[in-house]
Amino acid sequence: MRSAKELKNLETYGYEELYDIVWLLRSEDGCPWDRAQDHHSIRKNLIEEAYEVAEALDREDAALLREELGDLMLQVVLHADMEQRAGRPGMEAVFDGICRKLIFRHPHIFGEDDAVTPEEALAGWEARKMQEKGQKTVSEGLDRVTRTLPGLMRAQKIVKKAKKASALPENALQGDDLVSRLLALCDEANDVGIDLEEALYGRLEDLICQVKEEET
């Protein structure tokens, strides 16, 4: 690991330098705040940075995107550093794992399978994903949908997966209560190819603009 003096005046920086900086910040003589953090204390930071990347994408702001991708990458390196210091596999294992996953889930590139269309490629990815995770039932697949997703996004994804497997209970979309009506809307949006989370985001932006116009 390089010292603070060695890292301070480099002409360019890359992944290795980022890793060295994070290691230095969390070392015994490093930053008191960085040293005090653990996975749980910076969990929210990871989520916030991911959303800020998404906002940079929506704005089509290349400079902002570079900045936010850097902030998100920092969170990844911080968590990997914590794992390594705890005696568990760190960043090297993260890279190894994602490379192996990409090779395994693209049999039409690294194997003998064929996939001509994006739909065929996605179907192969999903099949390999279930095989990889040992999922044998529909409920196991539904249970793997990340619980920290925004509620509307998660609902639409679960409804879509359950319906595709012909496992969506009929009473799930029936009823006059708000949640049943919301699930029915998720099903309707899936049928016509609308991402409700994105659509609602856009509509809210329009609403804000309208309010601004009325105020002037």
Side-chain angles (χ1 to χ4, degrees):
M1 292 295 172
R2 284 165 287 187
S3 67
K5 185 177 181 179
E6 291 173 313
L7 289 166
K8 182 179 179 181
N9 298 313
L10 296 178
E11 291 186 7
T12 59
Y13 296 86
Y15 166 71
E16 291 184 0
E17 287 72 33
L18 173 60
Y19 194 85
D20 285 350
I21 290 170
V22 169
W23 182 270
L24 178 64
L25 292 175
R26 302 196 68 252
S27 65
E28 185 175 347
D29 297 322
C31 171
W33 186 90
D34 287 291
R35 290 175 54 200
Q37 305 313 305
D38 58 27
H39 286 309
H40 299 289
S41 67
I42 62 170
R43 175 181 177 276
K44 186 184 294 185
N45 300 43
L46 178 65
I47 296 171
E48 290 177 353
E49 297 299 351
Y51 276 111
E52 288 176 4
V53 168
E55 185 167 345
L57 291 171
D58 292 339
R59 292 185 180 184
E60 297 184 355
D61 187 327
L64 181 61
L65 178 60
R66 287 193 296 272
E67 178 185 350
E68 298 303 346
L69 284 173
D71 291 342
L72 182 58
M73 189 178 299
L74 170 60
Q75 297 301 313
V76 174
V77 175
L78 280 169
H79 285 285
D81 178 80
M82 292 174 187
E83 286 297 284
Q84 185 169 338
R85 289 178 190 271
R88 296 184 289 268
M91 203 67 201
E92 290 76 13
V94 173
F95 279 118
D96 182 75
I98 188 58
C99 288
R100 291 179 185 278
K101 179 185 292 186
L102 288 172
I103 291 171
F104 180 74
R105 294 190 188 179
H106 288 86
H108 53 291
I109 302 298
F110 300 99
E112 303 299 325
D113 291 4
D114 292 323
V116 177
T117 67
E119 291 76 19
E120 290 174 346
L122 180 59
W125 172 282
E126 292 293 344
R128 284 285 182 127
K129 182 178 179 180
M130 290 189 67
Q131 179 184 344
E132 180 183 78
K133 297 184 179 298
Q135 297 171 0
K136 298 180 180 180
T137 65
V138 177
S139 62
E140 287 176 335
L142 299 181
D143 193 54
R144 293 287 298 189
V145 177
T146 305
R147 285 172 166 77
T148 50
L149 284 174
L152 190 56
M153 186 184 297
R154 183 166 181 254
Q156 195 167 353
K157 192 167 186 177
I158 288 177
V159 168
K160 183 177 183 178
K161 282 179 172 289
K163 188 174 183 179
K164 184 177 181 180
S166 301
L168 184 64
E170 292 184 4
N171 61 0
L173 307 180
Q174 298 174 352
D176 293 329
D177 62 286
L178 291 175
V179 175
S180 296
R181 287 156 58 189
L182 183 60
L183 289 177
L185 283 174
C186 288
D187 182 49
E188 183 180 342
N190 286 335
D191 287 342
V192 297
I194 294 176
D195 185 316
L196 284 176
E197 195 75 41
E198 290 187 2
L200 181 58
Y201 175 89
R203 184 63 62 86
L204 290 173
E205 290 300 302
D206 291 341
L207 175 60
I208 293 171
C209 289
Q210 291 175 6
V211 172
K212 286 182 179 178
E213 290 177 358
E214 293 179 0
E215 288 176 336
T216 58

